[in-house]
Amino acid sequence: MPTHITEIKEPVSVNEANLLESQSTIDCTSSERKTAIKEQDDEIGSDSTTTSSSSLQENNSSWQNPDYFSSSFKEYIFVATCMIANLLNQAGQSQVLSAMNVISDSFHSSTGGQTWLMASFPLVSGSFILISGRLGDIYGLKRMMIGGFIFMIIWSLICGFTNYAHSDTFFIVARAFQGLGISFILPNVMGLVGNIYKVGTLRKNVVISLIGIMAPTGSCFGALWGGLIVTENPKQWPWIFYAYAVAAAVCLVMGYYTVPDNIPTNVNGFTMDWIGSVLGVIGLILFNFVWNQGPIVGWEKAYIIVLLIVSVIFLIAFFVYEIKYAKVPLLPKAVTQNGHILTILTVLFLGWGSFGIWTFYYFAFQLNLREYSPVWSGGTFFVFIIFGTVAATTVALTIKKVGPAILLFFSAIGFTCGSIIMSVTPVHQTYWRNTFGMQIILVFGMDLPFPASSIILSDYLPMQYQGMAVSLVNTIVNYSTSLCLGMGTTVERQINKSGDDLLKGYRAALYFGVGIAGLGACIAFLNVCHDIWSKRNAKDPKDLQRCGTGSNI
């Protein structure tokens, strides 16, 4: 842990905290940081010829505090816990997609409301992740993570129990609370990683990349498991959620056992920004709700227009309060005044928003037009596991040399090309042509940005913001997935008003996904050009070490 953080023993004032943020950002360009990272890398590369415990402790000190793990086995279980947490996050979104027709028929609900089966989970998780990360920073990352697991397990079981209530509204609400549980897990898990592993070390990059591998893997397992359950007997669909709860319970036990109890908590005496939190959550949820509900009931409904106006008012009030009045804002100046971080978040939003559209309409295309079985439609995601591993490994090994700007650009290209291919794929074409190829491309779009952006934000924000740092990434990923799906559905409903031309409506939504992904690619390209220009015009070699620029991270 960096010296200038660990030396802080007593709470400081808000002004002093803001000064610490600025100083932390400056420190990432200093020769001291450069030397420290070089020393860490040198220590990682050093060979050890003895197996004694003292030697092991000396080696471990190069990448973490040796007091955190009593054995290598315990560390491995901790990493596995973090990986499963991200798997559960992605599986939670895709677990209903391959079975969406079965679940809709079970509740006798209209096909128009199927978007809520997917959208309700990331809607709530994306709206609360930033807050849960801050709560973890203040009250303890491990404590918030365990609470999130317990909450998610309970509501996952309730999702299954809704089968006896015969209410699709109850099911959607239960899905939303399930997403609330995951919102308290992943950001705090990533905050733990940011605190345990030292800045700039290969080991930290590898751990975050391993967690990133679980994004495409979770998407595949969620969809495949849902398909397997309902293919044998459609009435068994509640077991999709019972099994999910069991997996979460196992992960909870692993986390309780392996997560260190001595990680510093709120060493700067920060307080929770409750006013900003309320304004932000209400605004985000209402705005997202309107875009997903509007296409279903019609935009001419009075309450849709009223809620849209109210949501915009709350969001404006949130930003005004955070900028002018909040003493300890949810988004500190280290984020809002860093153009590279804001650019990364924008590209993430547009890319993952397009992927949310692609994911829903991919399954609608396979189930309703190609008439695949649920298990086969879910099984087609196997490509994500294989090439997702390749993509995440590529990030871990190349991020220092290639740089996050290049990786994010290729990610945006992947999202764009994947949506383009899906929008022109013929219904009766074999899976092994367009569909297989576009999934390979999309895997890199999906897997490149998460490790890269998480590493950047974790490394270049102060230690007291580790939970919040990765919360930003997950907020953008989850929230954009739900919001942009609602926007894509709006486009579909406008083009296919009669409901008789499914293919035309699906393609219209995918065209919208192509548009926002392409915009993200353009922004990512401009960011690459800016980095190249900055390095060529740098007067001082130290300028090349600035946070977020080019390849010299």
Side-chain angles (χ1 to χ4, degrees), residues 143-212:
R143 185 178 301 172
M144 292 296 107
M145 180 199 73
I146 291 175
F149 269 115
I150 295 174
F151 193 85
M152 186 182 70
I153 291 169
I154 293 173
W155 281 99
S156 295
L157 295 174
I158 293 176
C159 284
F161 296 153
T162 57
N163 181 45
Y164 301 102
H166 306 292
S167 171
D168 57 349
T169 301
F170 185 21
F171 174 77
I172 292 171
V173 171
R175 282 277 291 163
F177 279 105
Q178 187 188 24
L180 179 60
I182 200 69
S183 72
F184 278 82
I185 297 174
L186 192 57
N188 290 296
V189 163
M190 296 303 295
L192 290 167
V193 172
N195 276 275
I196 289 174
Y197 296 98
K198 290 185 177 179
V199 171
T201 59
L202 175 62
R203 198 173 191 114
K204 178 179 180 179
N205 293 353
V206 169
V207 170
I208 292 181
S209 297
L210 287 174
I211 297 172

Side-chain angles (χ1 to χ4, degrees), residues 285-296:
I285 289 180
L286 289 180
F287 189 74
N288 200 321
F289 172 83
V290 166
W291 279 101
N292 279 282
Q293 185 70 3
I296 298 175

Side-chain angles (χ1 to χ4, degrees), residues 230-283:
V230 301
T231 296
E232 180 182 353
N233 184 354
K235 295 182 179 180
Q236 292 181 348
W237 68 260
W239 277 98
I240 297 174
F241 302 96
Y242 299 155
Y244 187 87
V246 171
V250 172
C251 192
L252 168 61
V253 173
M254 294 168 60
Y256 181 80
Y257 170 72
T258 60
V259 173
D261 295 318
N262 57 339
I263 293 178
T265 299
N266 198 19
V267 293
N268 294 289
F270 289 151
T271 57
M272 188 64 191
D273 179 15
W274 292 112
I275 296 178
S277 299
V278 171
L279 292 174
V281 167
I282 293 177

Side-chain angles (χ1 to χ4, degrees), residues 484-513:
C484 293
L485 175 57
M487 294 180 176
T489 305
T490 298
V491 174
E492 180 209 347
R493 296 288 191 276
Q494 292 301 312
I495 298 300
N496 183 27
K497 293 183 179 180
S498 64
D500 297 329
D501 195 344
L502 293 179
L503 179 60
K504 186 177 181 180
Y506 291 174
R507 285 181 171 173
L510 289 166
Y511 293 153
F512 176 75

